[in-house]
Amino acid sequence: MDHSGHGMDMNMDLPPFTLARGLEWSTDPFFLIGCLLGLGLYAWGVVRLRRRGDSWPVSRMIFWTVGVLTIGLVMCTKLNDYGMVMFSVHMVQHMVISMLSPILLLLGAPVTLALRALPVAPRGRKGPRELLLMLLHSRYMKIITHPAFTIPLFIASLYGLYFTPLFDFLMESKTGHIAMMVHFLAVGLVFFWPIMGVDPGPHRPGYVMRMLELFAGMPFHAFFGIALMMASEPMIGTYKNPPASLGIDALTDQQAGGGIAWAFSEIPSVLVLIALVFQWYATEKRHARRTDRAADRNGDKELQAYNAYLASLNTRGQ
């Protein structure tokens, strides 16, 4: 059975890949609409806050916008077309949409923005804000954000997908390909959400535990890339027979894809560590300020008590 993917017939005449060709516009309606909705709803939330006099950090707006644009970059350009017939390009898509885009989106704090921007429903009713709060505090959310779930899911999304017939099955249809990319994005969001700790969530460990969670999944990611690099034959059916017009060797292309998977695991680790260090520093700073204020209040009370004591002595002397 030839698992050549739905893109094989469409892209038989694709010229050899170059970065310039890969970045040419090629719309995927599903992801284009999703990106526009993401930008529009976020902008609505920020405008709503500003109109009532509340502020929203510019840095969060930038993170969210860049995060959405990274999704558009790999799904609404010819990278998506080449990704159907070149494993190395597909792996770039996978790495960006599962490991870079989620981090940037989470740094945009969309859940916090939604909770602040959505109107409070009248007493006795449940509006979008109340439903979102119910979801955040639900048992379902506690399960899917727990490391006992997120880390195995993160690992299974690599080994259980690429090294089984499931990948070839999904690549046979446009719907399957879209579902796979949405899955990659969702897994990335679920994995990094409790680690980033920007938005409220049911699972929020300390900073040391977050770092351990981050590094627990990364070795498996590196081993996955190494396995692809060291393979002596093409392992994924979809990419075994690339179009002749591309002028590529399937095994060499697979090894390049493995190298991309191996190298890319370092990028999110560095980004998340930087974010965690800044968050940790900000938390310690806030804690120190609260401690200082409490000490000042206690000092004022002691001074007032001492002054009252002196006044009482003066009254007795008189």
Side-chain angles (χ1 to χ4, degrees), residues 57 59-60 107 196-198 207 210-211 273-293:
S59 59
R60 288 183 175 179
L107 287 171
M196 301 300 293
V198 179
Y207 288 99
R210 291 188 208 177
M211 291 179 184
L273 276 177
I274 291 170
L276 284 177
V277 167
F278 272 104
Q279 287 176 31
W280 201 343
Y281 173 72
T283 302
E284 291 298 317
K285 209 172 177 182
R286 283 196 299 271
H287 179 69
R289 280 202 299 265
R290 282 198 295 269
T291 304
D292 290 343
R293 281 199 297 269

Side-chain angles (χ1 to χ4, degrees), residues 127-181:
R129 186 178 184 278
E130 288 69 29
L131 292 174
L132 178 58
L133 280 170
M134 284 175 61
L135 178 63
L136 287 174
H137 293 104
S138 67
R139 183 177 296 177
Y140 167 77
M141 197 59 71
K142 286 179 182 176
I143 293 170
I144 69 164
T145 58
H146 196 278
F149 180 86
T150 60
I151 294 172
L153 178 66
F154 185 75
I155 296 166
S157 291
L158 293 172
Y159 296 91
L161 184 65
Y162 288 98
F163 297 158
T164 68
L166 181 58
F167 182 86
D168 293 329
F169 171 74
L170 291 171
M171 289 292 283
E172 285 177 352
S173 69
K174 192 172 183 66
T175 304
H177 181 241
I178 289 172
M180 179 167 54
M181 288 300 175

Side-chain angles (χ1 to χ4, degrees), residues 147-277:
F149 180 86
T150 60
I151 294 172
L153 178 66
F154 185 75
I155 296 166
S157 291
L158 293 172
Y159 296 91
L161 184 65
Y162 288 98
F163 297 158
T164 68
L166 181 58
F167 182 86
D168 293 329
F169 171 74
L170 291 171
M171 289 292 283
E172 285 177 352
S173 69
K174 192 172 183 66
T175 304
H177 181 241
I178 289 172
M180 179 167 54
M181 288 300 175
V182 170
H183 169 77
F184 289 152
L185 179 62
V187 168
L189 288 169
V190 167
F191 178 76
F192 288 111
W193 182 15
I195 295 172
M196 301 300 293
V198 179
D199 276 326
H203 175 65
R204 187 67 75 241
Y207 288 99
V208 175
M209 282 303 298
R210 291 188 208 177
M211 291 179 184
L212 290 175
E213 281 184 40
L214 173 66
F215 289 116
M218 291 306 150
F220 294 96
H221 205 281
F223 294 149
F224 168 75
I226 292 168
L228 291 170
M229 290 167 69
M230 295 183 68
S232 58
E233 61 179 11
M235 298 174 69
I236 292 114
T238 300
Y239 298 104
K240 277 185 178 177
N241 302 298
S245 63
L246 290 174
I248 60 170
D249 173 65
L251 182 58
T252 305
D253 187 55
Q254 177 179 288
Q255 290 168 345
I260 290 165
W262 173 71
F264 211 96
S265 62
E266 304 299 324
I267 297 172
S269 301
V270 172
L271 285 175
V272 173
L273 276 177
I274 291 170
L276 284 177
V277 167

